[in-house]
């Protein structure tokens, strides 16, 4: 289990590095380079819209790779998704800008972002299921939390590279070629990930199945549509919080408040570091007290913290901003530390890869794709303190709270659910 957990963590870290490095670049530099005919705010909105395309692609990736995972095994998903995400990320680093090839540049940027999202849509389901289906029943929450640490590691590496480049290069050098370096590095990381995953064994639960779903998506839509919608709504606030902190706030503070790039990246990275370190602890609590109670507690905390977080951000001072981000990340991880065990336990094994991944990635569309765009537009209409953003995030938290309240608990079951969950 430690070797399997380490390989899953490394793989998700690499793929989320690929995904996050675009988000940071979108907040800092992609608007002027690929959408130069727009105003600064409109250019940022356009870059965030291309950012959102990756989230729209993720459910499609979960359908494609979920079909492979339910029909042919979890392990092939890990290799194919990593190859697709890595190749498309490296390609962004070589993409000419608008000034060189005109309108073709943003069109290619959107296409590559779509391919990134397609690969990541398959990554999460494959990595989580391979871990959770190997894990002993009483520790599924703990072991499945290691792939959930991967996004934090990927984010820290992506932003650490950006921070180092911002600190050592002039603005002109960063805009000219510096922003490309993190995308090029994705190629080396992808090769390392493929090496780590080459020796992983197939999931024993998949090998035990005698009857594989012919078309998993059809069964999920027919038998589990309510469950998919509830999980998507439940997870939306987690995505919204994460990308409000890591993407929208970065653009808002640097453009509207005049905070330096390095200062903002440091504050955000410190909060994400604490979040990643506490993930196994929250997962252990989920093994002991249940998945659903922690999810409900995280949503409630998020609903109470969004207005204080926005107020602390508006100060533009490093310590208050860090504290605001930290509170948000603690609410986030209270939910998401147990999600990797919770979602697979809700679905029967024959459609588990498709069902869990589709619900997880639809939540990303609702929360992750829209939040930077909506928050940027709301902040533009407000004063120095963007209360509209706080209200938007609070409403999302309450909606997710209601969705979690309608989902069943799974932890007390001695084995993973073999029958379809209600809905």
């Amino acid at each position: 289990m430690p070797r399997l957990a380490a390989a899953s963590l490394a793989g998700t870290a690499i793929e989320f590095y690929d995904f996050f490095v675009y988000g940071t670049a979108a907040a800092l530099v992609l608007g002027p380079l690929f959408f130069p005919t727009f105003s600064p705010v409109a250019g940022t909105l356009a870059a965030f819209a291309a950012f959102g395309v990756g989230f729209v692609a993720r459910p499609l990736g979960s359908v494609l790779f979920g079909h492979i995972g339910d029909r042919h095994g979890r392990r092939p998903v890990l290799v194919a998704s990593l190859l697709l995400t890595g190749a498309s990320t490296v390609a962004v680093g070589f993409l000419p800008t608008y000034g060189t090839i005109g309108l073709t540049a943003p069109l290619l940027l959107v296409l590559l972002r779509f391919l990134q999202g397609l690969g990541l849509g398959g990554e999460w389901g494959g990595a989580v299921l391979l871990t959770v289906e190997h894990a002993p029943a009483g520790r599924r929450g703990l072991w499945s939390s290691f792939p959930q640490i991967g996004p934090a590691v990927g984010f820290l590496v992506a932003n650490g590279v950006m921070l180092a480049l911002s600190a050592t290069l002039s603005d002109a050098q960063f805009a000219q070629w510096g922003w490309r370096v993190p995308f090029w590095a994705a190629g080396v990381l992808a090769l390392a990930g493929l090496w780590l995953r080459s020796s992983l064994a197939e999931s024993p639960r998949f090998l035990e199945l005698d009857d594989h779903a012919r078309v998993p998506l059809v069964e999920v839509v027919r038998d589990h549509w309510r469950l998919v919608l509830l999980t998507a709504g439940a997870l939306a606030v987690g995505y919204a919080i994460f990308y409000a902190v890591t993407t929208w706030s970065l653009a808002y503070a640097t453009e509207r408040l005049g905070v330096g790039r390095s200062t903002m990246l440091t504050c955000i990275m410190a909060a994400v570091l604490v979040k990643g370190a506490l993930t196994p602890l929250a997962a252990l609590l989920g093994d002991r007290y249940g998945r659903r109670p922690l999810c409900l507690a995280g949503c409630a905390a998020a609903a109470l913290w969004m207005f204080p977080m926005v107020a602390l951000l508006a100060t533009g001072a490093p310590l208050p901003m860090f504290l605001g981000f930290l509170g948000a990340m603690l609410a986030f991880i209270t939910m998401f530390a147990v999600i990797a065990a919770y979602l697979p336990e809700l679905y029967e094994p024959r459609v588990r890869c498709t069902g869990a991944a589709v619900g997880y990635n639809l939540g990303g569309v609702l929360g992750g794709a829209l939040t930077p765009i909506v928050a940027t537009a709301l902040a533009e209409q407000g004063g120095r303190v963007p209360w509209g953003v706080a209200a938007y995030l609070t409403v999302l938290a309450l909606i997710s709270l209601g969705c979690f309240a309608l989902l069943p608990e799974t932890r007390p079951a001695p084995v993973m659910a073999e029958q379809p969950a209600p809905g």
Side-chain angles (χ1 to χ4, degrees):
M1 284 308 305
R3 184 173 62 86
L4 179 64
S8 294
L9 188 159
T12 53
I14 291 165
E15 292 221 33
F16 275 92
Y17 166 90
D18 296 348
F19 203 71
F20 289 144
V21 77
Y22 179 95
T24 304
L28 295 177
V29 75
L30 293 186
L33 293 177
F34 288 89
F35 307 95
T37 60
F38 294 1
S39 69
V41 172
T44 300
L45 279 170
F48 281 154
F51 174 75
V53 167
F55 285 97
V56 174
R58 283 173 65 168
L60 299 177
S62 66
V63 171
L64 171 64
F65 289 105
H67 182 91
I68 296 171
D70 285 324
R71 292 282 298 165
H72 305 289
R74 323 308 192 196
R75 189 172 174 272
V77 171
L78 300 183
V79 175
S81 62
L82 185 58
L83 279 172
L84 178 59
T85 308
S88 56
T89 304
V90 172
V92 172
F94 289 99
L95 194 61
T97 62
Y98 186 95
T100 304
I101 59 173
L103 186 60
T104 305
L107 293 177
L108 288 174
L109 181 68
V110 171
L111 173 62
L112 293 172
R113 180 61 177 173
F114 180 87
L115 294 175
Q116 265 192 333
L118 203 67
L120 192 62
E123 160 65 26
W124 185 86
V128 163
L129 287 190
L130 201 62
T131 305
V132 80
E133 290 182 341
H134 272 92
R139 284 291 180 264
R140 282 197 301 267
L142 173 63
W143 289 114
S144 65
S145 73
F146 283 88
Q148 293 295 82
I149 301 173
V153 175
F155 177 86
L156 290 170
V157 175
N159 284 271
V161 173
M162 285 288 191
L163 181 62
L165 290 168
S166 294
T168 56
L169 299 178
S170 67
D171 289 345
Q173 290 173 321
F174 185 79
Q176 184 177 14
W177 59 268
W179 66 272
R180 298 180 183 274
V181 174
F183 291 92
W184 296 335
V188 178
L189 295 175
L191 292 175
L194 290 171
W195 176 77
L196 283 170
R197 289 181 165 182
S198 62
S199 61
L200 294 181
E202 182 54 80
S203 157
R205 190 67 195 92
F206 175 80
L207 295 175
E208 291 169 5
L209 287 175
D210 296 322
D211 183 25
H212 300 287
R214 184 177 297 276
V215 185
L217 180 64
V218 171
E219 292 193 24
V220 168
V221 173
R222 183 187 65 213
D223 301 329
H224 304 291
W225 62 269
R226 181 175 178 269
L227 184 59
V228 169
L229 293 179
L230 284 176
T231 52
L235 298 179
V237 69
Y239 281 101
I241 289 172
F242 191 87
Y243 288 100
V245 169
T246 61
T247 302
W248 167 74
S249 68
L250 179 60
Y252 174 78
T254 54
E255 293 175 4
R256 293 285 299 276
L257 304 180
V259 181
R261 283 198 304 259
S262 298
T263 299
M264 280 304 298
L265 287 171
T266 301
C267 291
I268 295 168
M269 288 171 62
V272 173
L273 177 63
V274 176
K275 186 267 294 187
L278 293 180
T279 298
L281 175 60
L284 279 172
L285 294 176
D287 278 332
R288 180 165 185 177
Y289 299 108
R291 326 301 189 202
R292 188 168 167 269
L294 263 72
C295 293
L296 293 171
C299 283
L304 294 172
W305 188 248
M306 293 301 97
F307 277 91
M309 183 195 80
V310 167
L312 291 168
L313 169 64
T315 65
L319 181 58
M321 289 193 298
F322 164 71
L323 293 175
F325 299 153
L326 178 62
M329 287 293 100
L330 293 178
F332 167 85
I333 203 55
T334 303
M335 294 176 273
F336 269 57
V338 299
I339 287 300
Y342 194 19
L343 262 62
E345 290 169 343
L346 290 169
Y347 291 89
E348 58 181 321
R350 58 186 277 117
V351 296
R352 183 171 285 153
C353 195
T354 299
V358 169
Y360 184 84
N361 287 297
L362 279 177
V365 176
L366 298 174
L370 295 178
T371 293
I373 300 170
V374 173
T376 299
L378 290 173
E380 185 66 13
Q381 302 302 317
R384 180 178 175 85
V385 183
W387 297 120
V389 177
Y392 167 73
L393 294 172
T394 301
V395 169
L396 269 183
L398 294 174
I399 293 172
S400 293
L401 182 67
C403 291
F404 273 124
L406 295 173
L407 289 171
E409 178 56 84
T410 60
R411 180 198 59 87
V415 296
M416 280 195 272
E418 300 299 322
Q419 301 299 323

